Amino acid sequence: LADSTDVLSVASSVKYHKDFTPLYSPAASSSPQAAYVATAQSVRDTLIERWNQTADHFNKTNGKEVAYISMEFLQGRALLNALGNLELTGPYSDALKKLGVSLEDIVEQEPNAALGNGGLGRLASCFLDSIATLNYPGFGYGLRYKYGLFRQEITDEGQKEYAENWLETEYPWEVVRHDINYPVKFFGHVEDGPDGRKKWVGGENMKALAYDLPIPGYKTKNTISLRMWSTEILASDFDLAAFNAGEHDRAVAGQASANKLCAVLYPGDGSYEGKLLRLKQQYLLCSASLQDILARFEARNGQNWQLLPQKVALQMNDTHPTLAAPELMRILVDEKGLSWDEAWKITQGTVAYTNHTVLPEALEKWSQDLVKKLLPRHFQIIQRIDEEFIDLVVRTVGLGDLPLLVNKIQSMRVLDGSDFPPKVKALIEAKQKENEEAEAAAEAAAKEAAVAKAAEDGIEVEKEPKNSKKEKEELPFVKGPEVVRMANLCVIAGHAVNGVAEIHSDIVKDEVFNDFYQLWPEKFQNKTNGVTPRRWMRFCNPELSAVITKWLGSEDWVLDADKLAGLAKYADNADLQKEWVAAKRARKETLAAWVKEKTGYTLNPEVMFDIQVKRIHEYKRQLLNILGVVYRYKKMKEMSPEERRARFAPRAVIFGGKAFATYVQAKRIVKFIVDVGRTVNNDPDIGDLLKVVFVPDYNVSVAEVLIPASELSQHISTAGMEASGTSNMKFSMNGCILIGTLDGANVEIREEVGEDNFFLFGARAEEIAGLRIQRAEGKFVPDPRFEEVKSFVRSGVFGSYNYDELIGSLEGNEGYGRADYFLVGYDFPSYIECQEKVDEAYRNKEKWTRSSILNTAYSGKFSSDRTIRDYANEIWGLEGSPVP
């Protein structure tokens, strides 16, 4: 292995890989692509050495480890991050110069690994970085999607989707582990074995094969694994006779089924086949990961299964990995021979659940028939969990208030829509009959007493008519679709449930899972999200990082983000402000060049860069942003050039994000932004006063260009609907001032950076429900400025596209896709008035720069290192274990 700190040794290593482990022909060996692969292979040599040392160390020490299971890991490019964490950027940059190439050029050859889409996946990747950096034993588990979610192109028609191509050439960072593979079964049926155990037999069988990505920690030897599963069938399952008989499709049907399982992240689920594929993906992730976790445990600890909660913490990142709980039960009971009660105690001690949403449609529910068909044994296990939980509710709530009991069961049970278990139903019916009889007896006694009293007083009592019978009290049974509520199963099976921001965790306890919180208050915690300061500051914003290090006197802040607070005392220092502005200007120039290359639009680095980048969704309210832009544009057009310059600070408004391919309204929003941009950017009256850009194919690498250049960033979701957000943390950490609602982590960011350094507008979370009721009652009166903007859009100024469906969603008082559910119209007046305050503040450069510095200074809380320490101490029970 080459000395990775010696420039000549590094150059020799890169040249060796170019010559002797090539992926390109000799004719292409001097291409930037070939240079990138050779460099990656050279860096991987160092990673593999540390990787093997880490695995050996963890096996010997046998400490508790976390298994972080997530449907997404949005890794971004690996090369610069690996070099930065290994502290080898300088040697490799110099070595590549000696070989006639630049590190900056070859970095651009690396594709983004298409393993995720948005905040959920990026959070998971930040967590792995922090787990490794803090020396905690751990594994990440995900799926190896061949085509990702999609690659986005932006045209005049809006968004177009194409398959990602990150695996069309070999991905040099992954290592296939041919010895690590596990059988995964679907369909089939359940039989009773001679030993009394259940046996899941028949059905469709596949092999899950492990592909590992190394995750290096910063300034440590510890290098952990992101293990991704891919699927294939065994050679023995290939029907050679059918193939040779010309029945080729039938012969390869099994392989085709295996191939599609890991083809696409979040395949469309509008069809039965789409739903089936999504559920198969989730089970594949859980089954392969659990088998791997238990195999590693057994190799270290034998069959001492009671030790599992002391050796493994299994964290389910949202509801996608819910099936990990019944899968763990299946393996422990059916394969390892434990009793149900033993297995359930182990499962509850091992599993924990992170909730990421309060949106009802995002709390997954699967058809019971679908689960029963695809996973018959798991459905039996879920049935028993449901029945035992209902028994617990009955014992806890009691039979004193039957309507309350029925409501509690229906709210909390896993199998929604199913009949109550027979014994519980019989118990309730018996109690109801007992209550009715007691009530009837009490009424009869009261009447008898009344008759006797009347006779005593000489009053004639009118007899009740024959067949007079009091109506039986109806209990509030609700019969709906028969579904498996995955979030409820997570809460029941896990020993801890956490939200991801203080306001979100409060909503989880007070609203989403309030009945569970009343039952198990000790289960519920908050773990405010965080982002890694390595990728999201030190590596992507070198100019600002250099300024910070100079003024703080060391790079200790990269490992201890709380040290950034030391900048606060210099916030008014003219020299720091000058260097700060210069660093920001350098990143703005880089972004302007990138935007020119990608979109053709020219941005002036002198203007404010105002950025909103996130998944396109109505609750995230990109529509509010662009309608605010339209209002600004309309007002500009009504003014003289002198009036425009006096009232408005010049700004470039930049959007980025993907709309799910089947989310029609979100795609309309993308189209609308593109249309507004085309009109505004080509208006000679406006010039640099206003530009509107939608950047294509937003991903981690794009974010690394956008975020360091930002001066204002919009986090404007409807209050109470964003669980946390993490892009808000990245922007604030990079000295960007936020405009936003009191939603998600915005609340805590504003508390940390100070009210004067955050632009706040909009309704509060506690007001939202009441405002929707007022709307339904026809009491909402829209602001005239909002009506003015809608009319302007409908005038055709932005083209011939019919925006009635989009604008119509903001109108009316009720109905699907109507009535402005996300309160764009209600918040519009306070939003545009807040933007006026932004314009005024931006003109005072010293004050703006001071706020920028303070945003960075007080962002330390939002390091993922802090979040992971909290998980490790309060949920996982982990201790750091550095490789010596």
Side-chain angles (χ1 to χ4, degrees):
L1 188 68
D3 178 358
S4 54
T5 62
D6 176 72
V7 172
L8 291 177
S9 183
V10 168
S12 176
S13 170
V14 173
K15 188 174 186 308
Y16 170 83
H17 282 290
K18 182 172 73 73
D19 292 340
F20 295 105
T21 59
L23 298 183
Y24 294 89
S25 68
S29 63
S30 299
S31 68
Q33 294 92 337
Y36 156 68
V37 170
T39 304
Q41 290 170 327
S42 172
V43 175
R44 196 181 74 168
D45 288 347
T46 301
L47 287 175
I48 287 176
E49 181 182 37
R50 297 185 179 203
W51 209 0
N52 292 340
Q53 290 172 348
T54 304
D56 184 57
H57 173 69
F58 287 164
N59 279 328
K60 287 177 180 175
T61 55
N62 192 20
K64 188 174 185 180
E65 69 178 22
V66 61
Y68 196 85
I69 305 184
S70 178
M71 211 69 190
E72 296 184 43
F73 287 91
L74 196 59
Q75 287 293 102
R77 289 172 173 159
L79 179 55
L80 278 185
N81 193 73
L83 288 174
N85 276 2
L86 295 170
E87 299 180 276
L88 295 177
T89 304
Y92 269 84
S93 180
D94 293 342
L96 290 168
K97 285 178 185 174
K98 288 185 175 295
L99 296 173
V101 293
S102 75
L103 179 60
E104 292 76 12
D105 287 344
I106 68 165
V107 161
E108 292 302 314
Q109 306 305 313
E110 180 178 355
N112 276 249
L115 301 172
N117 169 47
L120 185 77
R122 187 51 237 169
L123 178 77
S125 293
C126 282
F127 280 4
L128 293 189
D129 178 90
S130 288
I131 289 168
T133 296
L134 298 173
N135 301 313
Y136 291 121
F139 262 83
Y141 284 101
L143 295 184
R144 182 177 178 264
Y145 304 104
K146 185 172 184 179
Y147 301 116
L149 183 74
F150 59 82
R151 177 175 56 83
Q152 180 196 57
E153 289 188 8
I154 299 297
T155 70
D156 286 346
E157 300 306 311
Q159 171 181 292
K160 300 292 183 184
E161 304 91 20
Y162 302 92
E164 293 271 16
N165 61 356
W166 72 292
L167 288 177
E168 283 193 354
T169 56
E170 183 174 316
Y171 187 65
W173 301 102
E174 67 179 9
V175 175
V176 59
R177 307 291 194 185
H178 289 288
D179 59 315
I180 300 176
N181 61 84
Y182 300 98
V184 178
K185 181 187 291 292
F186 304 103
F187 306 111
H189 63 279
V190 180
E191 296 177 350
D192 292 319
D195 55 0
R197 300 185 196 176
K198 301 288 186 182
K199 293 191 179 297
W200 182 16
V201 298
E204 179 183 22
N205 298 293
M206 292 184 190
K207 180 175 78 173
L209 180 63
Y211 287 77
D212 285 357
L213 289 181
I215 309 294
Y218 178 70
K219 291 191 174 184
T220 176
K221 289 182 180 178
N222 284 49
T223 301
I224 63 172
S225 297
L226 168 55
R227 180 155 288 171
M228 306 172 296
W229 301 108
S230 190
T231 45
E232 54 188 49
I233 62 168
L234 299 171
S236 57
D237 291 324
F238 177 75
D239 194 337
L240 184 61
F243 192 88
N244 287 331
E247 298 180 50
H248 303 143
D249 290 343
R250 183 165 73 85
V252 300
Q255 189 59 54
S257 181
N259 288 343
K260 72 181 180 182
L261 197 49
C262 292
V264 173
L265 168 65
Y266 300 139
D269 60 354
S271 64
Y272 174 83
E273 290 76 14
K275 290 181 176 65
L276 182 66
L277 183 56
R278 279 211 190 188
L279 190 57
K280 288 179 82 170
Q281 285 184 332
Q282 292 185 8
Y283 178 63
L284 165 66
L285 171 63
C286 295
S287 179
S289 301
L290 258 297
Q291 290 182 73
D292 190 55
I293 292 164
L294 296 182
R296 192 162 54 253
F297 171 86
E298 199 166 359
R300 294 175 181 175
N301 303 282
Q303 297 209 355
N304 298 311
W305 299 110
Q306 284 72 21
L307 290 178
L308 188 66
Q310 300 170 40
K311 294 297 182 179
V312 175
L314 194 156
Q315 190 69 36
M316 300 183 294
N317 191 30
D318 215 350
T319 53
H320 308 123
T322 303
L323 290 168
E327 174 69 356
L328 180 53
M329 288 294 295
R330 183 192 69 81
I331 295 172
L332 292 178
V333 173
D334 296 356
E335 297 184 7
K336 306 303 179 183
L338 274 66
S339 71
W340 175 273
D341 289 343
E342 288 175 321
W344 184 239
K345 183 179 180 181
I346 291 167
T347 297
Q348 283 195 307
T350 304
V351 170
Y353 162 53
T354 299
N355 173 272
H356 283 280
T357 184
V358 300
L359 298 178
E361 66 271 21
L363 293 172
E364 287 188 298
K365 300 180 181 73
W366 291 104
S367 157
Q368 292 184 25
D369 287 341
L370 183 66
V371 177
K372 197 181 304 182
K373 179 180 179 182
L374 183 68
L375 304 168
R377 177 58 180 139
H378 296 78
F379 188 77
Q380 291 178 345
I381 291 168
I382 292 168
Q383 275 185 311
R384 181 162 176 182
I385 292 171
D386 186 56
E387 289 177 6
E388 295 198 352
F389 176 71
I390 290 173
D391 287 344
L392 173 64
V393 174
V394 172
R395 293 195 303 273
T396 305
V397 176
L399 298 170
D401 186 338
L402 289 182
L404 174 66
L405 175 61
V406 169
N407 279 328
K408 289 275 189 184
I409 291 172
Q410 291 183 148
S411 165
M412 302 167 75
R413 69 177 304 184
V414 178
L415 297 178
D416 191 27
S418 291
D419 290 334
F420 280 24
K423 65 177 181 180
V424 173
K425 191 173 183 181
L427 193 65
I428 290 173
E429 288 174 348
K431 183 63 177 176
Q432 187 178 25
K433 183 178 179 182
E434 178 187 322
N435 290 347
E436 289 168 355
E437 289 173 350
E439 186 178 345
E443 284 183 6
K447 285 177 185 175
E448 188 176 328
V451 168
K453 180 72 169 63
E456 202 177 290
D457 296 339
I459 301 171
E460 186 176 347
V461 178
E462 185 177 340
K463 291 184 178 180
E464 283 192 10
K466 282 187 178 181
N467 301 324
S468 169
K469 191 175 182 182
K470 186 174 179 181
E471 285 190 15
K472 180 179 177 181
E473 180 187 12
E474 291 295 328
L475 293 176
F477 292 107
V478 177
K479 184 69 175 173
E482 294 188 351
V483 295
V484 181
R485 294 192 285 203
M486 306 302 264
N488 289 25
L489 179 54
C490 286
V491 176
I492 293 166
H495 66 89
V497 178
N498 71 278
V500 290
E502 287 176 1
I503 185 175
H504 169 239
S505 295
D506 288 342
I507 292 171
V508 165
K509 291 186 292 187
D510 298 341
E511 298 176 25
V512 181
F513 297 127
N514 181 250
D515 286 332
F516 287 108
Y517 177 64
Q518 292 179 36
L519 179 64
W520 292 311
E522 71 282 356
K523 275 194 182 188
F524 289 81
Q525 302 186 24
N526 174 60
K527 295 288 172 281
T528 297
N529 284 341
V531 300
T532 168
R534 270 77 63 186
R535 181 181 286 273
W536 292 113
M537 261 190 94
R538 176 62 186 84
F539 305 151
C540 74
N541 200 345
E543 295 88 354
L544 193 65
S545 294
V547 172
I548 292 169
T549 297
K550 173 186 171 182
W551 284 82
L552 293 182
S554 78
E555 276 200 336
D556 291 351
W557 60 271
V558 182
L559 274 174
D560 183 0
D562 287 340
K563 291 186 181 297
L564 290 169
L567 291 168
K569 63 186 176 185
Y570 305 116
D572 293 306
N573 185 290
D575 291 334
L576 172 58
Q577 289 207 1
K578 183 178 178 181
E579 293 174 25
W580 198 270
V581 169
K584 182 67 72 173
R585 173 61 185 249
R587 288 290 105 190
K588 290 174 71 177
E589 289 175 355
T590 299
L591 175 56
W594 185 89
V595 167
K596 179 70 174 177
E597 177 190 347
K598 299 296 183 182
T599 71
Y601 289 131
T602 300
L603 301 184
N604 183 351
E606 293 289 340
V607 310
M608 180 201 307
F609 279 15
D610 170 356
I611 300 177
Q612 185 183 22
V613 283
K614 50 188 74 226
R615 177 167 53 93
I616 309 298
H617 197 291
E618 289 168 278
Y619 89 83
K620 294 179 184 287
R621 298 203 297 191
Q622 288 91 350
L623 184 55
L624 175 60
N625 185 349
I626 194 61
L627 288 174
V629 170
V630 170
Y631 179 78
R632 174 178 290 259
Y633 176 62
K634 184 176 186 296
K635 293 295 125 181
M636 285 181 176
K637 293 293 286 182
E638 294 168 357
M639 296 176 180
S640 68
E642 294 76 20
E643 290 172 323
R644 290 174 198 144
R645 285 193 293 271
R647 178 166 172 183
F648 296 106
R651 72 167 79 186
V653 184
I654 301 171
F655 295 83
K658 295 179 179 181
F660 278 112
T662 55
Y663 191 173
V664 176
Q665 193 74 321
K667 294 177 77 170
R668 288 189 184 117
I669 293 170
V670 175
K671 165 67 173 164
F672 183 36
I673 295 168
V674 171
D675 285 349
V676 172
R678 185 177 57 248
T679 301
V680 171
N681 298 345
N682 290 296
D683 190 331
D685 293 341
I686 303 303
D688 286 342
L689 265 180
L690 182 63
K691 296 292 184 188
V692 180
V693 175
F694 195 106
V695 299
D697 204 32
Y698 180 65
N699 58 25
V700 173
S701 296
V702 175
E704 290 169 343
V705 178
L706 290 170
I707 292 172
S710 62
E711 294 171 286
L712 180 77
S713 184
Q714 306 210 26
H715 301 271
I716 58 177
S717 51
T718 311
M721 300 197 77
E722 183 75 84
S724 169
T726 51
S727 65
N728 45 7
M729 301 171 183
K730 296 163 196 162
F731 280 102
S732 182
M733 196 175 276
N734 280 273
C736 178
I737 303 171
L738 308 188
I739 179 172
T741 53
L742 282 180
D743 195 27
N746 284 0
V747 177
E748 292 161 78
I749 291 173
R750 183 169 177 262
E751 289 172 355
E752 293 294 313
V753 306
E755 295 179 8
D756 293 340
N757 304 307
F758 185 106
F759 294 101
L760 177 67
F761 76 96
R764 306 304 200 256
E766 62 271 16
E767 300 175 303
I768 300 301
L771 290 170
R772 287 180 178 142
I773 291 171
Q774 289 180 20
R775 180 74 181 234
E777 293 173 347
K779 296 178 181 177
F780 172 68
V781 179
D783 188 279
R785 293 167 292 185
F786 187 58
E787 296 300 290
E788 181 184 346
V789 165
K790 291 192 296 177
S791 297
F792 190 55
V793 173
R794 284 181 164 132
S795 72
V797 68
F798 300 115
S800 59
Y801 187 84
N802 186 340
Y803 282 107
D804 283 346
E805 290 289 339
L806 183 63
I807 302 302
S809 70
L810 308 174
E811 298 173 332
N813 296 324
E814 58 184 359
Y816 179 76
R818 303 277 293 174
D820 194 12
Y821 185 78
F822 301 100
L823 277 70
V824 172
Y826 182 87
D827 278 351
F828 186 78
S830 62
Y831 175 69
I832 60 173
E833 289 160 12
C834 192
Q835 287 285 14
E836 290 170 2
K837 295 176 184 176
V838 172
D839 284 322
E840 181 182 353
Y842 193 71
R843 291 191 181 93
N844 186 334
K845 296 299 184 184
E846 291 77 16
K847 186 177 179 182
W848 185 277
T849 304
R850 180 181 188 276
S851 288
S852 173
I853 293 168
L854 291 176
N855 263 269
T856 298
Y858 296 129
S859 65
K861 173 181 177 178
F862 306 105
S863 166
S864 52
D865 295 348
R866 186 269 315 153
T867 313
I868 288 301
R869 283 194 190 96
D870 288 349
Y871 273 101
N873 293 333
E874 297 165 18
I875 294 181
W876 300 337
L878 297 191
E879 294 182 0
S881 184
V883 175

